[in-house]
Amino acid sequence: MHKQPDLPSKRLFFALPCEPAQRRAIAQWRNTLGHLEGRPIAGENFHLTLMFLGEVAVSELPGIYAAAARVCVPGEPLRIRLDQLQAWHRAGMLVLVPGAPAPALLQRVYALHQAMLALGFADVPREYRAHLSLVRDFHAPVPEADIAPDFTLDARRVVLFESHKGRYRALAQWPLEP
Ligand code: ATP
Ligand code: MG
């Protein structure tokens, strides 16, 4: 509904980025899983999506920035423990997820969803499931991990990413810590 034909647009999503050292650690751990079917996601693209906006007219960016700035305010730091490997067969994804609920994350996500709903983004997902994608086109059982996953995403900022041809570019960011 936001995209109008012939107007310049971008494919956007809000996410928590994964910092370089942690990307490397997660990619190295993924290697310990042995040969996996599917297509491994490049470490530089590791992230935890908060909300996918889809194709958005660039004329809407100022409104999105303003709304995000109102809700992505410094407060409780977000530390998200990713300690469970799951295979999402419908999506064909191998993902890392929090084994325990992450209430501070969910609060942030709901606030962001509400702010975007107010701008007219109607397709807010019914159910939010935090995950960090590792492999796509994955349809096998969950691989046995010799080393149990235990990563803590120390999220210091929310980033609005543009997704273009399989690469992400940060357009704006809001710090989460004072
Ligand atoms: P590509 O689709 O070009 O192969 P990608 O999946 O990495 O690459 P996008 O499809 O732009 O890039 O997705 C960016 C982020 O938004 C990813 O975290 C993806 O899981 C999420 N996403 C994409 N489409 C949807 C959707 N329809 N609903 C919810 N999240 C989505
Ligand atoms: Mg995609």
Side-chain angles (χ1 to χ4, degrees):
M1 64 170 288
H2 274 255
K3 165 86 171 84
Q4 300 189 5
D6 307 328
L7 286 182
S9 68
K10 292 181 185 299
R11 183 177 171 94
L12 304 179
F13 64 103
F14 287 100
L16 303 176
C18 189
E19 302 305 333
Q22 189 156 49
R23 289 181 209 152
R24 285 193 293 273
I26 294 175
Q28 271 170 18
W29 173 79
R30 180 177 59 185
N31 289 339
T32 70
L33 298 173
H35 177 75
L36 298 171
E37 74 155 53
R39 291 184 291 141
I41 288 164
E44 66 175 22
N45 279 358
F46 287 166
H47 66 277
L48 192 145
T49 297
L50 303 176
M51 184 178 189
F52 177 72
L53 296 180
E55 277 307 312
V56 176
V58 295
S59 57
E60 308 225 26
L61 280 172
I64 293 171
Y65 292 170
R70 282 194 292 275
V71 294
C72 300
V73 291
E76 279 282 291
L78 277 184
R79 305 193 76 234
I80 301 146
R81 192 162 175 208
L82 298 168
D83 55 353
Q84 207 177 91
L85 188 57
Q86 290 185 353
W88 289 2
H89 288 128
R90 219 148 45 123
M93 297 291 256
L94 182 67
V95 297
L96 272 175
V97 302
L105 169 65
L106 294 183
Q107 271 177 23
R108 292 274 187 186
V109 167
Y110 292 141
L112 190 59
H113 285 185
Q114 290 306 317
M116 293 302 126
L117 265 176
L119 289 185
F121 286 94
D123 1 319
V124 168
R126 272 161 295 149
E127 189 199 15
Y128 172 77
R129 290 201 291 165
H131 66 282
L132 184 147
S133 299
L134 296 172
V135 182
R136 57 176 89 229
D137 300 334
F138 184 88
H139 299 282
V142 179
E144 285 292 333
D146 289 337
I147 306 164
D150 194 358
F151 300 99
T152 298
L153 196 70
D154 221 338
R156 296 166 193 279
R157 57 211 165 99
V158 170
V159 177
L160 180 66
F161 283 105
E162 172 184 9
S163 168
H164 184 65
K165 296 188 174 163
R167 301 191 73 132
Y168 306 148
R169 187 164 73 94
L171 295 183
Q173 51 183 309
W174 298 270
L176 288 175
E177 290 180 313

